[in-house]
Amino acid sequence: IGFNAREGLVLHQVGFKDGGGVRPVLHRASLAEMAVPYGDPNFPYIRKCAFDVGDYGMGFVANSLELGCDCLGHIKYFDGVVNNAQGEALVIPKAICLHEEDAGMLWKHTDTRLGHVEVRRNRRLVISQVRAFTYQLM
């Protein structure tokens, strides 16, 4: 998990265990840009479209996350570090959270001859960052 001023949350070398090794899924993932058309029909805003990643920087406008509001359950928080106008380090506490969430039943199998039932829950790994306009990246 990485974090920078422009892109905010960045994922590096994501994979999953497969047998004895790790199967890679992606090398690097981040938001390159996010265009937000405001849709105001009044002049001069007709053509206004903010590019939130490039214009403002997802890391610069990241919010600190709160337990029970932004993230639930057993959580690991990560601080984000950006620079201020003087070039000094500015720490954003709890800028990223990592947790698992229950997404319902994944599958269920019933063996009617033996009366045996097996159920597996659908668990999602969630890595999230919330910025000033409450875009949640999951």
Side-chain angles (χ1 to χ4, degrees), residues 90-104:
L90 176 66
V91 177
I92 302 168
K94 300 180 180 177
I96 298 171
C97 74
L98 177 136
H99 67 279
E100 274 190 340
E101 67 182 22
D102 188 337

Side-chain angles (χ1 to χ4, degrees), residues 105-111 115-121:
M105 185 171 56
L106 180 62
W107 60 265
K108 181 176 182 177
H109 175 73
T110 304
D111 187 333
H116 179 74
V117 178
E118 283 196 42
V119 177
R120 295 294 182 270
R121 303 296 298 172

Side-chain angles (χ1 to χ4, degrees), residues 16-31:
F16 64 93
K17 290 183 181 178
D18 183 21
V22 175
R23 182 172 291 200
V25 176
L26 60 88
H27 180 70
R28 185 181 193 279
S30 68
L31 286 178

Side-chain angles (χ1 to χ4, degrees), residues 65 70-71 97 99 126 128-131 133-138:
L65 303 171
D70 302 306
C71 303
C97 74
H99 67 279
V126 179
S128 57
Q129 171 205 342
V130 179
R131 71 163 297 230
F133 291 113
T134 319
Y135 303 131
Q136 189 164 10
L137 309 173
M138 300 177 99

